[in-house]
Amino acid sequence: MAVRPYWKGYLKLSLVTCPVQMMPATSENEKVRFHTLNRETQNRVVSHYVDSVTGKEVKEEDEVKGYQRGEDEYIILEDEELENVALDSTKTIDISTFTQRDSIEWIWLDTPYYLSPNDPVGQEAFSVIRDAMQSQDMVGISRLVITRRERAVMLEPRGKGIVLWTLRYGDEVRDEETYFEGIGDEKADTDMMPLIQQLIKKQTQDWTPKMVIDPVQDRLLDIINTKKKALKKPSKSTAKAPASSPAPNNVINIMDALKKSIAAESRTSK
């Protein structure tokens, strides 16, 4: 089944414009999801919005956004007002600034999307913008309204297309110095360094997506499949939960631990 575009609009650089479409670069559809049921009836439980004071259910047409300005005091904003906040960036990604790719640290990158031409006529303009950025190792900075919030976005050339990253707001990124200032100034032990480097070298592998598989999802699916089979049989069976790994002992001598690690790696590599 073809995936529907998440967003359609225009990519614009000065007088060059082309129609584009945006697709999420990641997916959570493969995750095991559960519904909340009534244990007695096994019917799904449905949630409703209720008035916090009267306890009565609130109809969808009566739901409205409110900004709290004081205790029990709110400024009401209608849907039309929210939709009209940033009209220019609702349907157009207008690249206003360029910067070196390596000047934007990883912590600012939020959610990735794939950006591609939405019309054969616009492919030439799209390619020109993409290749010009690629040739100078530049990325474009623009703004785009996503789910009623205007986000700063970064456009990075990638192969035939462009990866659009939403960027975190300035107040969302915490200063690393606040969290690292308590770390001492001790230098690494010169005797330990070669052992660590040797261990790193032995454990170095080429990247593969298998490094980030989710074993919990696999175990959940095993339990679900076991229960499915049990429903088809007269006798009931219960899926056993996987045995938990014993907690590691505290390591007192780091040098001894490193030597043991190197020795273990050498045995397994033979």
Side-chain angles (χ1 to χ4, degrees), residues 51 58 60-70 72-83 85 148:
D51 190 296
V58 180
E60 185 176 354
E61 59 266 25
D62 292 329
E63 296 172 12
V64 66
K65 295 290 188 296
Y67 176 83
Q68 188 169 8
R69 61 184 293 252
D72 297 328
E73 286 188 71
Y74 298 89
I75 297 174
I76 303 299
L77 292 174
E78 300 294 341
D79 288 345
E80 294 77 12
E81 295 175 298
L82 294 172
E83 291 172 357
V85 168
R148 292 183 175 176

Side-chain angles (χ1 to χ4, degrees), residues 248-253:
N249 295 324
N250 290 330
V251 177
I252 298 175
N253 191 311

Side-chain angles (χ1 to χ4, degrees), residues 147-161:
T147 60
R148 292 183 175 176
R149 295 191 72 184
E150 187 177 62
R151 305 292 302 268
V153 297
M154 181 189 82
L155 291 89
E156 179 180 14
R158 183 71 60 87
K160 293 182 178 181

